[in-house]
Amino acid sequence: MTDSASSSVKNSASRVQNTGMPAKKSANDFVFGKTIGEGSFSTVYLAKDIHTRNEYAIKVCDKQHIIREKKQEYIKREREVLYKMSGVPGFVSLYCSFQDPRSLYFVMTYAANGDLLPYINKVGSFDMDCTRFYAAELVIALEEMHKRGVIHRDLKPENILLDEKMHSLIADFGSAKIITAQDTNAVAPVRPPPEDRVAPTSRSFRRNSFVGTAQYVSPEVLKGQPATKAVDLWALGCIVYQMVSGLPPFRAGSEYLIFQKILKQDLTFPDGFDVAAKDLVEKLLVLDPNARLGADNPDDRYDSIRDHVFFNGINWCNLREQTPPQIYPYLPGRSLESELRSRYRVPDNLEPGLDERQLTRLLGLELGTTGTSIPDEDASIGKLSEAEKQQRLESQKTDKWNQFVEGELILKKGYVHKRKGLFARKRMLLLTTGPRLFYIDPVQMVKKGEIPWSAELRVESKNFKIFFVHTPNRTYYLEDPEGYALDWCSAIENVRNSTYNNSST
């Protein structure tokens, strides 16, 4: 590393404001635990100070890689922004930095609950209380950051961390820009050398010719125009959209196609998208950065965003002292009893009559409990002899779905709508021995994936059509259009019990 870069890193240790941590530190002052993050030239570890026993996230940057990729300015900028934002609520703090011959070390706040994206992926999308709260915290954070002359330029769910109390912390300032006194409102975007500059309308548009992440980058940055604080407002709109719907607003099979959608403002909203949230997103995802909601607010206080109807009920005064709402999936209209009555069809396979057993079943259905439907005899592994299994495997060869199950016996199958937030795809769901749960695209006739099995897998029916399959890392949101959700829950639970009860004996 150059002498100037090395000396600037050395000087940073004495400049950083720190709560009780000595200015001089080295790697020997910490016990390094698991890896909690990785970048192109850095690794982030959970580490413990051997003197105070406090836990930190330590970003270890490879000097040789930094020099080889000419990333010295990125590292310097990140350190300066971390220093500027340390101690500000809603941001990770830099406690100290140091180096050795091989690496640079940034000792930062440890966000115990990881980043926001896995939570969106796990539940599909956030309900309105949850979305409103985290969007409000993000608005306040943008005010604080912009007030200090910092533009993030790479806001996305992965860069929004959650502390031990589930409050948000903005992190990862490698793409950030500090606005100088000579340039209060706008800054030139970081651009590649002239030979690398290619218009974003070209298919050869290079990944390093803009600052940010493809799905969240603003149109003005793609056009090579000066980046203002409004690029973060664009990202705010993208994040609100993703929290509500489950996916980013601009999606395609390649960065080039994503860029085309952004430049054309090709934005659609799935059915069920909250009306107030939609209005907020539409006012943030505006092509003209000066026309975005909040762009004309003075003093870096986004009153026009705070006053939007979407944030009705938010107490802005002590938001970070409040208890964040629990993260629940967004199920618009799905809990309405009238909707269930209007859409529910009596399954053909139920026994007639109204004896005690049938009353018990109906009571279970009303309460929305799981495992109360008539057991699916075909979905019980334990009741199949080896001869029966082989016989059924032989006859299954004529089944068009047999090609997807890797030689296993299909115990139950049926069409479901597999939801990712508010987006649904029709899939053939196949429950097999193993046990395994495959889902197939019935139009393209290709296997799209499978739900991972473990002893921790659980099923939950929400009503006659909707059921969840909970796994340790994700909740799968499924809808049976024919109203057999409880049959699915019963079948899956039978297979799970048969598999893991047998294996434990």
Side-chain angles (χ1 to χ4, degrees):
M1 178 166 276
T2 63
D3 292 340
S4 59
S6 297
S7 61
S8 65
V9 173
K10 287 179 180 178
N11 293 336
S12 69
S14 59
R15 294 173 56 204
V16 173
Q17 298 298 316
N18 163 51
T19 56
M21 181 176 284
K24 296 290 185 178
K25 283 282 184 180
S26 74
N28 293 331
D29 290 299
F30 299 91
V31 175
F32 288 80
K34 65 178 181 179
T35 300
I36 56 176
E38 290 186 277
S40 58
F41 55 85
S42 64
T43 303
V44 183
Y45 298 94
L46 171 60
K48 182 176 289 188
D49 187 309
I50 62 175
H51 308 289
T52 66
R53 312 306 294 171
N54 291 332
E55 290 184 329
Y56 298 95
I58 300 185
K59 184 173 185 176
V60 182
C61 308
D62 185 300
K63 283 185 176 181
Q64 291 302 317
H65 190 101
I66 293 169
I67 295 170
R68 185 168 59 251
E69 299 296 324
K70 297 180 173 59
K71 296 293 186 180
Q72 293 95 322
E73 286 302 313
Y74 285 85
I75 290 293
K76 182 180 178 182
R77 183 190 310 125
E78 182 172 18
R79 189 197 69 244
E80 290 177 354
V81 173
L82 280 168
Y83 170 69
K84 187 179 281 282
M85 300 310 301
S86 289
V88 179
F91 296 85
V92 298
S93 290
L94 175 64
Y95 293 98
C96 72
S97 61
F98 52 88
Q99 63 178 310
D100 58 29
R102 186 177 61 183
S103 304
L104 303 175
Y105 300 82
F106 292 164
V107 182
M108 302 178 293
T109 307
Y110 170 52
N113 284 304
D115 66 78
L116 198 62
L117 184 61
Y119 292 89
I120 299 175
N121 289 338
K122 182 172 178 62
V123 302
S125 60
F126 290 175
D127 69 7
M128 286 305 99
D129 286 343
C130 191
T131 301
R132 189 176 296 109
F133 181 87
Y134 285 111
E137 284 204 334
L138 189 52
V139 170
I140 293 176
L142 291 182
E143 292 175 343
E144 294 293 337
M145 185 171 62
H146 293 167
K147 186 191 307 178
R148 289 164 173 78
V150 174
I151 304 175
H152 192 285
R153 299 199 294 184
D154 194 22
L155 281 175
K156 55 185 177 179
E158 296 98 309
N159 291 338
I160 301 172
L161 308 184
L162 298 169
D163 66 16
E164 69 281 357
K165 295 183 178 179
M166 291 298 288
H167 284 281
S168 59
L169 302 171
I170 292 181
D172 198 346
F173 294 96
S175 299
K177 177 69 180 183
I178 299 176
I179 304 172
T180 63
Q182 291 77 22
D183 191 13
T184 304
N185 293 319
V187 296
V190 175
R191 305 183 73 174
E195 63 271 17
D196 286 345
R197 292 180 190 162
V198 183
T201 53
S202 167
R203 289 188 180 273
S204 58
F205 181 64
R206 296 180 60 146
R207 172 64 179 86
N208 66 347
S209 60
F210 67 93
V211 172
T213 302
Q215 288 91 340
Y216 308 90
V217 69
S218 65
E220 64 268 25
V221 170
L222 287 178
K223 294 175 183 177
Q225 298 172 353
T228 68
K229 298 170 185 176
V231 303
D232 291 340
L233 298 179
W234 175 277
L236 171 65
C238 293
I239 294 168
V240 171
Y241 181 103
Q242 187 168 357
M243 285 194 288
V244 174
S245 71
L247 293 173
F250 303 101
R251 308 172 305 282
S254 68
E255 286 190 345
Y256 166 76
L257 294 175
I258 292 171
F259 297 151
Q260 295 309 300
K261 287 196 168 188
I262 292 171
L263 292 170
K264 295 174 184 176
Q265 201 179 16
D266 184 0
L267 178 66
T268 58
F269 293 85
D271 292 341
F273 202 101
D274 181 78
V275 175
K278 178 182 177 182
D279 186 75
L280 175 65
V281 169
E282 287 178 330
K283 289 177 177 175
L284 290 168
L285 298 184
V286 176
L287 292 178
D288 180 0
N290 297 316
R292 281 171 209 153
L293 189 66
D296 60 350
N297 290 175
D299 304 321
D300 296 312
R301 180 181 163 96
Y302 295 122
D303 286 329
S304 60
I305 299 178
R306 289 179 177 229
D307 293 339
H308 191 276
V309 64
F310 176 72
F311 291 110
N312 284 356
I314 286 290
N315 183 350
W316 296 93
C317 297
N318 63 345
L319 195 63
R320 296 199 65 84
E321 284 73 53
Q322 299 171 27
T323 301
Q326 289 192 25
I327 293 177
Y328 286 120
Y330 180 40
L331 307 174
R334 299 296 179 181
S335 61
L336 296 178
E337 191 172 303
S338 59
E339 183 190 58
L340 297 183
R341 289 198 185 107
S342 65
R343 296 190 179 187
Y344 174 66
R345 290 171 44 200
V346 177
D348 295 328
N349 64 339
L350 296 183
E351 295 180 5
L354 198 60
D355 59 18
E356 184 175 349
R357 186 167 59 136
Q358 301 296 350
L359 286 171
T360 301
R361 174 182 60 80
L362 289 170
L363 180 61
L365 291 177
E366 280 188 57
L367 295 176
T369 57
T370 61
T372 55
S373 61
I374 301 297
D376 190 331
E377 297 295 336
D378 289 341
S380 179
I381 297 176
K383 293 184 179 180
L384 291 176
S385 67
E386 188 59 31
E388 289 173 323
K389 183 177 177 181
Q390 291 304 319
Q391 183 181 10
R392 288 178 55 176
L393 280 171
E394 184 63 29
S395 63
Q396 184 178 290
K397 290 180 180 179
T398 59
D399 190 324
K400 69 176 181 178
W401 306 109
N402 183 62
Q403 61 182 305
F404 301 108
V405 298
E406 301 175 11
E408 296 186 1
L409 178 63
I410 299 173
L411 300 173
K412 187 174 178 62
K413 62 184 178 181
Y415 290 108
V416 299
H417 291 135
K418 180 175 174 289
R419 290 186 170 272
K420 169 69 174 176
L422 299 184
F423 299 91
R425 295 289 185 271
K426 186 176 182 180
R427 297 289 182 252
M428 168 57 68
L429 187 63
L430 304 172
L431 172 63
T432 74
T433 53
R436 298 173 80 176
L437 271 169
F438 299 95
Y439 46 92
I440 315 299
D441 182 336
V443 177
Q444 301 295 326
M445 288 300 288
V446 293
K447 183 172 73 174
K448 302 302 291 187
E450 63 179 289
I451 298 174
W453 273 87
S454 70
E456 289 73 38
L457 181 142
R458 293 291 183 273
V459 286
E460 175 190 4
S461 61
K462 301 304 293 184
N463 51 54
F464 297 113
K465 290 190 173 185
I466 296 171
F467 64 104
F468 295 157
V469 180
H470 301 288
T471 69
N473 296 318
R474 180 177 171 186
T475 292
Y476 292 81
Y477 174 12
L478 305 169
E479 182 175 1
D480 186 324
E482 297 300 317
Y484 295 114
L486 285 111
D487 286 342
W488 273 111
C489 288
S490 177
I492 294 169
E493 185 66 13
N494 284 344
V495 172
R496 192 190 73 84
N497 288 336
S498 176
T499 301
Y500 294 105
N501 287 347
N502 290 343
S503 63
S504 62
T505 57

